[in-house]
Amino acid sequence: MAYLQLEKDLEKLTSSVKLSDAVQDVDKIIELLTVARDKVAVADDPHTTSLTLTKLQNPIREQLDGLNSNLKHMYKAQNEFNKSLKTAFSKAMGSLPTEHDPMESQSALINRAIAMHLLREGQFNAASAFINEAQSQPEATEPTQAPPAQGQPSAYTPHPTTYSRSPTPSDTIITDADIPADLTALQSQELQSSFADMYETLSALKAQNLLPAINWARNNCHELEARGSNLEFELCRLQFIWLLKGPAVNGLPDTEENGLQGASRYARVAFNRFQYRYIREIKQLCAALVYWQNLEESPYGHIFDISAAFEEVAASFTREFCSLLGLSAESPLYVAVTAGTLALPQLVKYTGLTKAKGTEWTTANELAFETPLPRSMMYHSIFVCPVSRGQTTEANPPVILPCGHVLAKESLQRLAKGARYKCPYCPSEGVVKDAKEIIL
């Protein structure tokens, strides 16, 4: 309940307080002073100078009063929101240990994540400044790495990487981990140009202009088709619906290229190349033209509900664009910070309990408790053995029996009597060697 109130207070803060009003007052004061300075510089008469300064007092006083009023209102709103923050997080008692920083030796990785996040957001000047400052700082001394254990990936070795969009998809999958650790490589004009294209296209989608995204999808249609993506058709379908809505909805000029006539023309040109893969969807769109004057009440009304369509295609475009660059759809920095924020209350609670009981955290490279993350952040499949009630690992993988039931490998070995076993869930019997390891 406190968090809902906090969200309302945040909306109130952002809607009622505008720092731009104070900035405008400052700009007006600077303008008045500049004009007065020019008059004084031109005039040789002391009387004119005195008169100019006298006339300047009242306007300056009025602008300063307005500035103070705006700042006072802003500070009041900030103090109220600060009280809401304290109320919402009053139950977050406890603290985390600070004597050891596990990320101390990973400064290069953190800097790279920050730089990539700024580039993805189109903040190229900020990214360049950050990279220059980060490169000028001495790198943290990294501990000598031991040889990787069996089943563990070897340490990443930086290598030159280009970010060109190749005409044919490569068999090699590039990931965020393959981006060079040298931050100066992120300042390449080619990489920044790619993100600039993405940023401009997303800005156009927010303005409900689909043409830049459609052109990009058409230029990269072979790569998208190889990935099984339907982005190009979804963009063309939305453009058809957007045109059919007419100038009263889409705000486009009332010409032959808009409305029913414009949508019909667009369908004949754009849908021709999709007829083999999306013939059913195209038939529905074309049949809906009969009801164009009352689409909401027609049998196809659900197709023309585009209340969230632009946000959905923007997310799909971002995902496909980043995939062709070999990057994840979501910023790794955003995902890491969000997941850490969600896990923080449980971590604080667990740390307090272990400290009170005099125990220590003994697990390595994993949390000692479950963290309630959203499904969008579930990147790895998890299997819990129904016999041991324990989660499988690389050393204890899940195995499938000939009868179709799945157990942990260690559970099967405990159930086996010699080389044979009996399935705990059905009457089937078999030989241990017939069980096959599966990868989820």
Side-chain angles (χ1 to χ4, degrees):
M1 194 66 182
Y3 296 107
L4 295 177
Q5 183 62 39
L6 180 63
E7 186 176 357
K8 294 180 181 178
D9 293 338
L10 179 60
E11 292 179 357
K12 180 181 177 181
L13 175 66
T14 54
S15 60
S16 62
V17 178
K18 294 182 179 179
L19 191 60
S20 58
D21 295 338
V23 174
Q24 290 178 1
D25 292 335
V26 174
D27 290 339
K28 290 179 182 178
I29 293 175
I30 294 175
E31 182 180 358
L32 291 172
L33 293 174
T34 303
V35 172
R37 181 195 62 186
D38 295 340
K39 288 183 179 180
V40 171
V42 173
D44 295 332
D45 185 7
H47 177 71
T48 303
T49 301
S50 177
L51 182 62
T52 301
L53 295 177
T54 302
K55 291 181 178 180
L56 186 64
Q57 292 179 1
N58 289 335
I60 291 293
R61 186 181 295 108
E62 291 177 0
Q63 295 300 328
L64 287 174
D65 291 340
L67 175 62
N68 291 330
S69 177
N70 290 330
L71 291 177
K72 182 178 180 181
H73 182 64
M74 183 183 67
Y75 291 145
K76 180 181 178 181
Q78 287 180 342
N79 291 332
E80 292 178 354
F81 184 69
N82 188 31
K83 294 179 181 178
S84 300
L85 279 174
K86 292 181 179 179
T87 303
F89 296 102
S90 59
K91 295 182 180 180
M93 304 299 291
S95 60
L96 295 176
T98 57
E99 59 271 9
H100 173 64
D101 183 7
M103 299 300 293
E104 184 179 3
S105 61
Q106 304 293 335
S107 60
L109 183 64
I110 297 174
N111 290 339
R112 188 182 68 181
I114 296 174
M116 282 300 302
H117 181 79
L118 293 173
L119 289 174
R120 294 169 73 113
E121 294 297 318
Q123 303 293 334
F124 304 118
N125 292 335
S128 180
F130 174 80
I131 291 172
N132 290 333
E133 293 184 10
Q135 289 290 84
S136 62
Q137 297 176 357
E139 293 291 338
T141 304
E142 298 188 4
T144 304
Q145 297 182 353
Q150 185 177 0
Q152 296 293 330
S154 60
Y156 166 70
T157 303
H159 56 83
T161 305
T162 58
Y163 297 88
S164 59
R165 284 173 269 178
S166 57
T168 57
S170 172
D171 293 334
T172 303
I173 300 178
I174 304 174
T175 64
D176 287 291
D178 294 322
I179 299 172
D182 183 10
L183 292 180
T184 55
L186 301 182
Q187 292 179 299
S188 66
Q189 293 297 323
E190 188 174 3
L191 179 61
Q192 293 192 14
S193 176
S194 297
F195 281 117
D197 292 342
M198 183 183 77
Y199 189 76
E200 291 176 1
T201 305
L202 288 175
S203 299
L205 287 175
K206 290 181 180 178
Q208 298 177 330
N209 180 11
L210 294 161
L211 296 181
I214 292 175
N215 293 333
W216 178 87
R218 192 161 294 157
N219 293 334
N220 296 273
C221 60
H222 297 297
E223 292 92 331
L224 294 175
E225 290 176 359
R227 289 174 44 82
S229 171
N230 61 346
L231 175 63
E232 185 181 2
F233 176 74
E234 290 299 323
L235 288 169
C236 293
R237 184 182 71 88
L238 183 56
Q239 178 70 2
F240 169 82
I241 296 175
W242 192 238
L243 292 175
L244 189 59
K245 294 282 186 179
V249 176
N250 57 36
L252 299 176
D254 188 5
T255 63
E256 295 181 353
E257 302 299 325
N258 198 3
L260 176 62
Q261 188 174 1
S264 301
R265 288 184 177 181
Y266 182 80
R268 285 193 293 269
V269 174
F271 289 159
N272 185 46
R273 61 188 304 267
F274 300 112
Q275 57 181 323
Y276 296 106
R277 187 177 177 185
Y278 302 101
I279 186 62
R280 181 174 177 272
E281 291 82 357
I282 293 174
K283 286 181 178 179
Q284 290 179 342
L285 292 172
C286 294
L289 294 176
V290 179
Y291 303 92
W292 74 277
Q293 291 181 326
N294 191 16
L295 289 172
E296 289 76 11
E297 302 295 331
S298 70
Y300 306 99
H302 64 284
I303 300 177
F304 291 85
D305 181 13
I306 57 173
S307 55
F310 283 93
E311 290 80 3
E312 291 174 356
V313 296
S316 298
F317 170 80
T318 303
R319 181 171 58 253
E320 299 297 342
F321 192 100
C322 291
S323 296
L324 293 188
L325 284 178
L327 304 174
S328 58
E330 291 286 351
S331 166
L333 180 64
Y334 168 79
V335 173
V337 171
T338 304
T341 302
L342 294 174
L344 191 58
Q346 285 80 7
L347 185 59
V348 171
K349 181 178 180 181
Y350 178 82
T351 304
L353 292 175
T354 54
K355 185 177 181 180
K357 294 181 179 180
T359 58
E360 294 183 357
W361 188 348
T362 58
T363 56
N365 299 325
E366 65 179 27
L367 293 175
F369 50 87
E370 289 291 332
T371 302
L373 295 178
R375 183 172 294 273
S376 60
M377 292 186 179
M378 300 294 184
Y379 299 103
H380 304 285
S381 300
I382 297 175
F383 177 76
V384 177
C385 176
V387 176
S388 64
R389 308 295 183 183
Q391 183 176 322
T392 56
T393 62
E394 291 184 358
N396 181 28
V399 293
I400 185 169
L401 308 180
C403 58
H405 292 105
V406 180
L407 307 173
K409 185 177 180 179
E410 292 180 357
S411 298
L412 177 61
Q413 292 173 349
R414 285 195 295 266
L415 290 172
K417 295 181 179 179
R420 299 190 61 82
Y421 69 89
K422 180 185 178 301
C423 177
Y425 290 96
C426 69
S428 300
E429 296 183 2
V431 182
V432 174
K433 67 178 182 178
D434 293 336
K436 304 296 182 182
E437 181 178 336
I438 60 175
I439 299 175
L440 301 176

